[in-house]
Amino acid sequence: MPLAGSATQDTCVVGTLVTTASEPITPMTDSARTALTDSARTALPPSVPRGEAFAKEDYFARKARGPMIWFEVEDFLRYLDHFRNPSGVQRVQFEIYRIAKTLDGVSDRVRFCRLSIYSKRLLTVSFDAIRSAYLNPPGSIAPWKTFWEPAIFWREFPRSFPVIMRHPRFFFSILKVAARDVVATWLRTNPFERFVRPGDVVVSLGAGWGIPNYMKHFAEAKRRHGVKFAIMVHDLIPIKHASFVEPHHTAQFRDWLRAAIPVADIVFTNSKHTRTALIAFAAESGWRLPRVVALEMGSGFGDRHTAGEQAMVSLPSRYVLFVSTIEVRKNHRLLIRVWQRLLERHGANLVPSLVFVGKVGWLVDGLLADLEASGYLNGKVILLRSLSDAELQQAYRSCLFTVFPSLSEGWGLPIAESLAHGKFCVASNHTSIPEAGGDLIDYFDPLNEDDALAKIERPLIDRAYLAAREAQLRAEYRPRTWVECVHALIGALDQTVAQDSQAASQLTQRASR
């Protein structure tokens, strides 16, 4: 049975941070941070959340259930500061947060914290704040059109003031968060240290590697508070496929991973492929790994539609769908060559449109220029950059089938989404992708244009074949729930804590003899 939900590589920016291993990160410059800190001196302090009630709830939960599980969410929140739609990583994070916070037998042990990129302190944060940011992202009013613009803005700060003047509301929302964090530091409100206890577990599911000195802070938290620490590795693309990212991002990710391994008490991966790659790389590097667990993701995602939101996107009557950030690793150029050959063979009336859905990423200027020069293959290629969730669901429901020619993945979210919508997929056979699709989709070598053409052409031309594959999907596809995913995560964390406690007890007994 294929996995049916994922944590794929789309991007996360934290002023700017990018959430997955395959994507770049440019931290806020010192001058930008200084400007934000100076402005914070006039900000009003936030109220202290939950107060004594939080402490009492915390006490009884510990007595009943054991150590707390703290999800660290800074990268999640800062991404949503900058972008309207969550990427695959944020979708996975939120589903786990949501289920963990509402699941009987688990919810009373779950808390949330964040390592502020502004104050460099650990602060508590409510699930209501997390849910609000996810459903109504502050980034919905951001001026960025591509993933790179926030990075350029902060790198060139303060020369970017004209952008601020054109978008004051957006930048005030960023300033407000920074100001509150700095004031909270001065007033010592929302302190993580007030509620954390020895034996608690802090879990980082996102891209801590994008936060400067991230592991240094959690190494200190382990020393001071006696907590356990868990991370999730989504892929090793910056290391294994360095040509897909900027050189300094490879070094940045490698440094984070080198620092994270000694601090982590358990490492989660989003696929068996990523687990195998991590173990092999650690062995090559001479690193001693803690326990590494491949966490099978859930299937599909909760409803993010805002009140009254409707699908309004205009789509062609017949089309094949490719959902992905537009970047070199995703291999859009292969599909364009395949569509050129299909048009030459069968003509424009028979060949459906090819719809790309995703934000514009990196290393694709040449691709976009070629598309523009060809008139997007005389209108046969359509690029949709910022669909709402309702529009994305409409795109999945109405397509003939989906394609996914990626050269490298940590897992393969668009395949899982395609299956969850009952849509057949024709995909690359590289890295983790067959793990996501199982026997329910067709595969091709993404480096072999002829193979890709043959595999994509068949369901286009042979309607009976496509109908048979869709029928197989309906009969055999078994989605995995996010409840199962969260139970597996909590179980692995509890087992790690129990094993460490047992080992410590045995050492104490031997020392006392």
Side-chain angles (χ1 to χ4, degrees):
M1 180 187 75
L3 302 183
S6 107
T8 55
Q9 296 18 279
D10 293 330
T11 308
C12 162
V13 177
V14 173
T16 292
L17 288 189
V18 180
T19 58
T20 64
S22 60
E23 291 149 358
I25 292 165
T26 305
M28 184 184 294
T29 61
D30 290 340
S31 59
R33 185 175 291 108
T34 298
L36 290 173
T37 302
D38 289 344
S39 67
R41 300 181 191 280
T42 61
L44 294 175
S47 60
V48 179
R50 307 182 75 172
E52 294 304 318
F54 187 106
K56 291 178 181 178
E57 177 187 346
D58 182 68
Y59 171 78
F60 288 113
R62 290 175 192 282
K63 295 291 285 184
R65 302 293 183 182
M68 290 294 156
I69 296 166
W70 295 84
F71 290 103
E72 199 283 317
V73 299
E74 181 73 348
D75 65 287
F76 175 88
L77 293 173
R78 300 292 75 80
Y79 174 88
L80 295 170
D81 279 351
H82 284 269
F83 293 105
R84 169 189 174 189
N85 292 324
S87 75
V89 170
Q90 289 80 49
R91 292 179 186 274
V92 166
Q93 286 176 281
F94 184 76
E95 290 303 317
I96 292 176
Y97 300 157
R98 179 179 67 85
I99 295 297
K101 192 57 183 171
T102 58
L103 187 62
D104 286 345
V106 172
S107 60
D108 56 358
R109 296 177 54 198
V110 172
R111 299 288 182 271
F112 299 92
C113 65
R114 62 185 186 87
L115 177 62
S116 169
I117 63 170
Y118 305 110
S119 68
K120 304 303 182 186
R121 287 185 65 241
L122 278 164
L123 304 171
T124 59
V125 60
S126 71
F127 179 69
D128 286 345
I130 295 166
R131 179 171 50 200
S132 176
Y134 185 73
L135 297 178
N136 302 288
S140 61
I141 60 171
W144 326 122
K145 292 184 174 62
T146 71
F147 284 136
W148 287 117
E149 291 183 57
I152 294 170
F153 174 88
W154 291 115
R155 187 167 61 240
E156 296 183 351
F157 192 89
R159 289 183 295 169
S160 301
F161 273 111
V163 180
I164 297 175
M165 298 302 294
R166 291 194 298 270
H167 304 277
R169 182 183 168 200
F170 167 71
F171 287 100
F172 178 75
S173 70
I174 300 294
L175 176 63
K176 184 166 62 174
V177 174
R180 285 179 175 174
D181 283 5
V182 174
V183 170
T185 298
W186 295 338
L187 299 182
R188 303 186 66 80
T189 58
N190 303 340
F192 171 76
E193 58 267 21
R194 180 181 177 188
F195 303 109
V196 70
R197 299 292 183 271
D200 286 359
V201 185
V202 179
V203 183
S204 174
L205 296 177
W209 73 284
I211 299 176
N213 299 313
Y214 187 78
M215 295 315 307
K216 176 182 176 181
H217 289 287
F218 281 103
E220 174 63 14
K222 287 189 67 171
R223 186 189 67 79
R224 289 184 61 193
H225 306 301
V227 297
K228 304 295 182 184
F229 187 67
I231 60 171
M232 176 172 278
V233 175
H234 292 275
D235 59 62
L236 269 70
I237 290 171
I239 294 172
K240 294 296 185 180
H241 303 279
S243 63
F244 296 147
V245 301
E246 296 291 339
H248 71 277
H249 300 138
T250 294
Q252 185 180 36
F253 179 75
R254 186 190 297 267
D255 290 345
W256 169 82
L257 191 60
R258 182 186 296 113
I261 295 305
V263 175
D265 297 283
I266 183 172
V267 176
F268 292 101
T269 65
N270 58 347
S271 67
K272 295 176 183 177
H273 170 82
T274 301
R275 180 181 187 273
T276 300
L278 176 61
I279 291 172
F281 179 73
E284 294 167 5
S285 304
W287 298 350
R288 183 177 179 180
L289 281 170
R291 183 184 178 201
V292 182
V293 175
L295 186 65
E296 187 177 348
M297 299 291 106
S299 170
F301 298 104
D303 192 352
R304 278 189 73 248
H305 298 179
T306 57
E309 180 184 352
Q310 296 181 355
M312 299 294 292
V313 65
S314 177
L315 293 164
S317 59
R318 297 176 64 248
Y319 64 93
V320 174
L321 180 66
F322 179 23
V323 177
S324 166
T325 304
I326 300 172
E327 54 167 300
V328 66
R329 173 173 60 89
K330 301 295 187 175
N331 210 11
H332 288 74
R333 192 175 287 279
L334 171 68
L335 287 185
I336 293 170
R337 292 197 300 266
V338 165
W339 244 251
Q340 287 175 320
R341 292 176 65 178
L342 287 170
L343 289 166
E344 291 167 0
R345 285 188 181 186
H346 304 290
N349 289 335
L350 182 60
V351 177
S353 297
L354 174 62
V355 175
F356 295 155
V357 172
K359 298 184 184 75
V360 174
W362 40 94
L363 304 178
V364 291
D365 289 348
L367 169 70
L368 296 177
D370 290 346
L371 277 174
E372 186 73 28
S374 71
Y376 287 81
L377 294 188
N378 295 320
K380 277 296 182 179
V381 176
I382 298 170
L383 172 57
L384 302 173
R385 302 190 186 203
S386 296
L387 297 191
S388 68
D389 277 27
E391 290 168 336
L392 180 60
Q393 289 189 23
Q394 176 193 353
Y396 272 115
R397 285 194 302 265
S398 303
C399 71
L400 296 173
F401 59 91
T402 68
V403 285
F404 195 68
S406 178
L407 296 166
S408 180
E409 293 293 323
W411 184 36
L413 168 63
I415 296 170
E417 288 183 325
S418 183
L419 296 178
H421 283 87
K423 291 297 180 177
F424 180 60
C425 181
V426 184
S428 161
N429 62 8
H430 278 205
T431 61
S432 64
I433 296 170
E435 190 176 335
D439 296 330
L440 298 179
I441 72 174
D442 285 352
Y443 299 96
F444 59 83
D445 181 350
L447 299 176
N448 186 327
E449 184 178 317
D450 290 337
D451 188 29
L453 174 63
K455 298 296 173 55
I456 293 171
E457 185 178 41
R458 185 174 185 184
L460 281 180
I461 304 304
D462 188 344
R463 295 184 180 181
Y465 177 76
L466 178 58
R469 294 295 269 153
E470 289 174 338
Q472 180 191 3
L473 195 164
R474 289 191 296 271
E476 299 180 12
Y477 176 65
R478 296 293 181 270
R480 175 177 169 85
T481 70
W482 285 103
V483 170
E484 292 173 309
C485 175
V486 169
H487 273 306
L489 184 147
I490 301 298
L493 293 174
D494 285 347
Q495 187 177 21
T496 298
V497 171
Q499 289 173 344
D500 289 350
S501 297
Q502 183 179 14
S505 177
Q506 291 172 348
L507 286 173
T508 302
Q509 290 175 6
R510 284 198 292 267
S512 64
R513 290 172 185 168

